[in-house]
Amino acid sequence: MATINGKDIQKLVVACDAGMGSSVMLASTLRKQLGKSGVTVEHTPVNSIPADADLVICHNGLAARARSIAPGKPIVPFQVFLGDPAVTKVVKAIQQGTDINV
């Protein structure tokens, strides 16, 4: 298991299968929650994860594909699009400058 510190995250990417729907809402919610932190939040299809992403958040069903497309990038899988504890931990780690285990 790897660790990344929240203060080292400048670009967070929400990766999804098709690029619509719930993952767009999650990206929007994260932008609002992290607005004061200076973190850029982007939304992208899992097959197009940008090379400059510091952290990728995606649904658990897409995590293996995300890892194969962006090897070496920290991937945080979640189960529920809104209110998932894994996403909450990421937000708190960014806001507080603490570690995230991925």
Side-chain angles (χ1 to χ4, degrees):
M1 184 175 284
T3 301
I4 184 170
N5 190 282
K7 67 182 176 199
D8 296 328
I9 299 170
Q10 299 301 310
K11 185 174 186 177
L12 184 151
V13 172
V14 179
C16 66
D17 200 21
M20 301 181 178
S22 299
S23 55
V24 173
M25 287 189 300
L26 175 58
S28 177
T29 299
L30 288 171
R31 275 187 208 100
K32 290 175 187 171
Q33 292 175 334
L34 299 172
K36 294 180 182 178
S37 68
V39 173
T40 300
V41 178
E42 292 185 4
H43 178 263
T44 185
V46 71
N47 292 336
S48 302
I49 296 170
D52 62 344
D54 295 312
L55 182 72
V56 178
I57 296 177
C58 66
H59 190 270
N60 194 42
L62 298 173
R65 189 168 12 151
R67 286 184 182 102
S68 70
I69 290 167
K73 295 285 180 196
I75 308 290
V76 175
F78 62 87
Q79 294 290 329
V80 183
F81 280 95
L82 298 175
D84 192 282
V87 176
T88 301
K89 286 181 184 178
V90 168
V91 170
K92 286 183 180 179
I94 291 170
Q95 291 171 336
Q96 298 171 359
T98 56
D99 288 343
I100 304 166
N101 294 318
V102 293

